[in-house]
Every structure is written in structure tokens, then in C-alpha cells.
Amino acid sequence: MGVVAWLKSLFVLQLLIGFVFVVSGLIINFIQLCTCVLWPIDKQLYRKINTRLSYSLWSQLVMLLEWWSGTECTLYTDQATVDKFGKEHVIIILNHNYEIDFLCGWTMCERYGVLGSSKVLAKHELLKVPLIGWTWYFLEIVFCKRKWEEDRDTVFSGLNRLRDYPEYMWFLLYCEGTRFTEKKHQISMQVAESKGLPKLKYHLLPRTKGFTTTLQCLKGTVKAVYDVTLNFKDKQNPTLLGIVSGKKYKADMSIRRFPVEEIPDDEKECANWLHKLYQEKDALQEHYEKEGSFPGPTIIPKRRVWTLLNFLFWATLLLSPLINFAWDVFVSGSPLLIIGFMIFLIVASVAVRRLIGVTEVNKTGSSYGNVEAKKEN
């Protein structure tokens, strides 16, 4: 292990990075709360400010991927498709197999200038998660409980509200509804068999309602659907904890662009189109399994320095007083102050670890395995 790799593995450095992210996030959330007074006065100004505030928080995670761990992202697509990145409203369909798949999506959003305005159809439980859910709330993210009877009005109103969004947005959809596991896959394929649908090897059966509803509500605003299929070299199984520890991964992303005009308007036909798309995604993963790469030309977009500069700004602002305070505590010689500071460090480390735990496959809290067989798209 080299010196740099050893330094990245030190818990104290990881804790300091977590401290910067958490405290800066709380500050950003407070500023976002203050911007709410702008909504009735100038809704678009509110949105532009919150887009940049959100970028300031999410880009710290992108910085970890790009600069701290040095993870590489290669796109398998053509230049004509890349030329449209960041210049139109789109829906992104991404497979949901890895703990950091969202982070790989975010790094592409950052490199093409749409990280702050990126959207997602998120599960309602995330609304209660500090920093993540709170920031998404101010970004007008659409939250759902995955019960269509309860979600119908909320989803329709939330999506329709985004039709006049001033910044180009990439709306991310995990059409599988939950992260891939072997247990969920077995149950999903039982559902596929009962519906007479072709079985998938590397994906769960897509839930079509979220996709058809999103496309219906945003049609006229969204210009295209980007199908993104993600995999990692050498059968790597990346984790956010690995990223924080400085581990380097090599991500490959196959990207295909479908103009909205080519997707059927009829809900049933649109659902069939999505099922066909997932069969094609499965074939792409099969190709990757055999060849170690996706078909087609490759493009490696350059990482931008803004994520690093943003993190250095927050680190300078927050770590200087923390280090000075820690020094004063220890030179004071007061057992009470020292114990209090150690308790603070323990609480901070637990908080950071719990935030990381939100992304972990075995802690997603999904009830998919219990109820999927009862659901209809």
C-alpha cells in the first residue's frame, strides 16, 4: 500500500470528510429553508438558487468518486448523442444493481452541467433522511409510497409542476423499483412467467406505471429518453464505503438515446416498449459478461475541477475552527471537555456511517420480496 492509499484509508480523514459533508449540508438546508420566501414572489429564481445550493452538496459526493477514489467512467455511445448532453430535458433509465449506481449517474450529470437540477422519483422514506431527503424536498423531487392509489395525485401534481423548470434536468428513473438481489430476481421472474413475459437474467421486471406516468406528464418538456446500462470492470462490486476509503473502480456505461416521438403514446404500448427495452438491456449485460465491455464506440468525458474547488471551500470554512477547537480542548487538560469532545466524535462517526448505510444493498429496507408477486404494473 502506497502512502497516498494509506492516508485515504485513515478513519480520521474519512471522518473529517464526513464532517464537512454533514455540516455543510445542514448549512445548505438552512439556506434552502430561507429561500422558501421567494417561491410566491419568483418561483424561477427560487429554483435557480436551489439548483446551485444542491450542486454544492451533491458535488462533494461526486468529488469523492472522481478525485478521492479516482474512479474512471467510460461511456459507450456515439458523439452525436454526447453532443446533446446537458442541452435538453430528458428521462434517464438506469439499471439498479450497485450501491453507487446513483453516484455514477451523478458524475455524468456533473460533467455535463445538470447535477444541481437532476431529479428522481424517490421512495417516500427518503424524505425523512437528513441532508438527502431535505435537499430533495427543496428541489421539488417527487416522493412516492409505491402504492398507486395513494401516490396518484401526488405524483401527477409533482410531475406537472416540473413542466416549466428553468434549468435543463435529467430525470432519473429506476424502473425496476428497487435494487437487484438474487431473492428479488427469483420473485420477479415468477411474476414475468405468470404474465407471459420473457425472463430477464440481469434485471428485475420493470414497473411500467412510473415510467408511463412520468413520460405522460413531462411530454412536451422532455425531448428524449436515455437508456443507461451500467457495469464495472473485472466484476467489481463497488460500495460507497469503498469510495470513502479511496478504492478505485472502473465503470462502463452504455448509453442510447430515444427521441420521445419514437415512444408510443398509448399506455399499454408504452409499457410494452419499456419491457422490450429491458430485454435489450439484458442482452447488453450478457454481452458485457462475455466480452468485458459493451458494444460500440467509447468516449471518456473529462472530470471538471469545480467539484474539488467546492469541497476545498467547505473544508477550509469548516475544518479550521474544528481543528482549533480540538486543540484548545486537549491543551486545556479538562477531562470533562476531552470526554465531551470524544463523545462528539463518536456520534459524528455513527451519523456518517448511517448515511452511508442508506446506500447499502443489505440495508435498503425494501419489501419487494414480500409483495412483488401481488403487484400489477
Side-chain angles (χ1 to χ4, degrees):
M1 180 185 293
V3 175
V4 174
W6 175 74
L7 287 173
K8 290 180 180 180
S9 69
L10 292 178
F11 175 73
V12 65
L13 286 183
Q14 298 171 11
L15 184 59
L16 290 176
I17 291 173
F19 173 82
V20 172
F21 177 74
V22 170
V23 177
S24 65
L26 293 174
I27 293 172
I28 288 170
N29 284 164
F30 177 74
I31 297 174
Q32 287 181 305
L33 180 63
C34 294
T35 65
C36 289
V37 298
L38 291 174
W39 180 267
I41 302 171
D42 192 334
K43 180 173 68 174
Q44 303 297 35
L45 177 60
Y46 165 90
R47 286 169 160 173
K48 290 179 179 179
I49 292 173
N50 275 278
T51 291
R52 284 146 186 82
L53 289 171
S54 299
Y55 174 88
S56 188
L57 182 60
W58 299 141
S59 66
Q60 294 181 48
L61 296 179
V62 174
M63 184 282 300
L64 285 177
L65 183 79
E66 295 183 336
W67 295 93
W68 184 256
S69 82
T71 291
E72 300 172 356
C73 293
T74 300
L75 308 184
Y76 288 76
T77 190
D78 57 90
Q79 189 61 49
T81 297
V82 171
D83 289 342
K84 296 182 182 295
F85 288 176
K87 299 176 183 177
E88 57 183 356
H89 297 292
V90 299
I91 294 172
I92 307 287
I93 296 177
L94 180 62
N95 55 313
H96 205 6
N97 296 62
Y98 304 99
E99 290 183 9
I100 67 164
D101 46 28
F102 76 97
L103 199 49
C104 292
W106 276 0
T107 192
M108 289 301 105
C109 289
E110 200 289 321
R111 294 185 191 195
Y112 293 100
V114 292
L115 176 60
S117 57
S118 61
K119 309 294 179 189
V120 67
L121 196 60
K123 57 184 179 181
H124 192 266
E125 293 84 352
L126 289 176
L127 182 57
K128 303 174 184 177
V129 179
L131 308 185
I132 298 173
W134 299 350
T135 304
W136 277 353
Y137 174 81
F138 294 113
L139 263 186
E140 301 169 76
I141 294 297
V142 181
F143 293 94
C144 59
K145 299 178 180 177
R146 301 180 182 177
K147 297 178 181 177
W148 184 241
E149 296 76 14
E150 299 180 26
D151 290 332
R152 182 191 301 272
D153 293 339
T154 302
V155 171
F156 271 104
S157 62
L159 290 171
N160 285 324
R161 191 166 56 241
L162 296 175
R163 292 176 62 88
D164 64 342
Y165 208 79
E167 310 274 341
Y168 287 124
M169 62 177 174
W170 286 7
F171 197 108
L172 174 63
L173 285 179
Y174 291 116
C175 293
E176 295 163 88
T178 185
R179 191 175 279 120
F180 184 100
T181 66
E182 287 301 327
K183 179 181 177 181
K184 295 173 187 176
H185 181 251
Q186 291 174 8
I187 294 171
S188 182
M189 292 308 96
Q190 291 172 7
V191 175
E193 185 174 3
S194 69
K195 293 183 177 182
L197 294 168
K199 291 186 178 181
L200 304 174
K201 187 176 180 180
Y202 302 97
H203 300 84
L204 305 179
L205 199 67
R207 295 174 174 177
T208 60
K209 180 64 72 175
F211 174 71
T212 57
T213 301
T214 301
L215 191 61
Q216 175 187 348
C217 291
L218 295 181
K219 205 154 193 177
T221 299
V222 166
K223 300 300 181 185
V225 172
Y226 293 172
D227 171 52
V228 182
T229 306
L230 171 68
N231 214 321
F232 288 85
K233 292 290 188 187
D234 305 319
K235 300 185 184 297
Q236 293 173 311
N237 187 20
T239 64
L240 186 55
L241 194 57
I243 294 293
V244 172
S245 300
K247 187 173 181 179
K248 182 176 182 177
Y249 302 105
K250 294 183 179 180
D252 288 335
M253 306 173 76
S254 173
I255 303 177
R256 300 180 295 163
R257 182 182 183 274
F258 298 91
V260 168
E261 300 78 33
E262 297 180 1
I263 303 174
D265 289 325
D266 179 76
E267 183 175 356
K268 185 175 180 180
E269 292 181 8
C270 186
N272 291 335
W273 181 90
L274 184 64
H275 282 297
K276 182 175 181 293
L277 181 76
Y278 266 79
Q279 293 159 28
E280 295 171 357
K281 288 171 75 70
D282 223 49
L284 281 171
Q285 290 287 39
E286 182 70 21
H287 184 281
Y288 195 96
E289 184 74 14
K290 294 178 179 178
E291 305 294 334
S293 64
F294 291 115
T298 61
I299 295 174
I300 303 179
K302 294 182 179 179
R303 61 183 179 180
R304 305 195 306 171
V305 74
W306 302 116
T307 59
L308 183 59
L309 292 178
N310 175 75
F311 177 79
L312 291 176
F313 163 76
W314 283 111
T316 302
L317 182 68
L318 299 174
L319 290 183
S320 295
L322 176 67
I323 293 172
N324 289 334
F325 175 74
W327 175 256
D328 291 340
V329 166
F330 284 103
V331 299
S332 70
S334 169
L336 188 61
L337 284 177
I338 293 174
I339 292 173
F341 186 71
M342 295 302 293
I343 292 174
F344 165 76
L345 291 179
I346 293 171
V347 171
S349 64
V350 171
V352 171
R353 189 63 187 83
R354 291 200 63 171
L355 279 174
I356 292 174
V358 172
T359 71
E360 293 179 347
V361 171
N362 61 349
K363 295 184 180 179
T364 55
S366 173
S367 58
Y368 186 97
N370 298 322
V371 301
E372 179 60 19
K374 300 178 183 178
K375 290 192 175 184
E376 295 291 335
N377 281 321

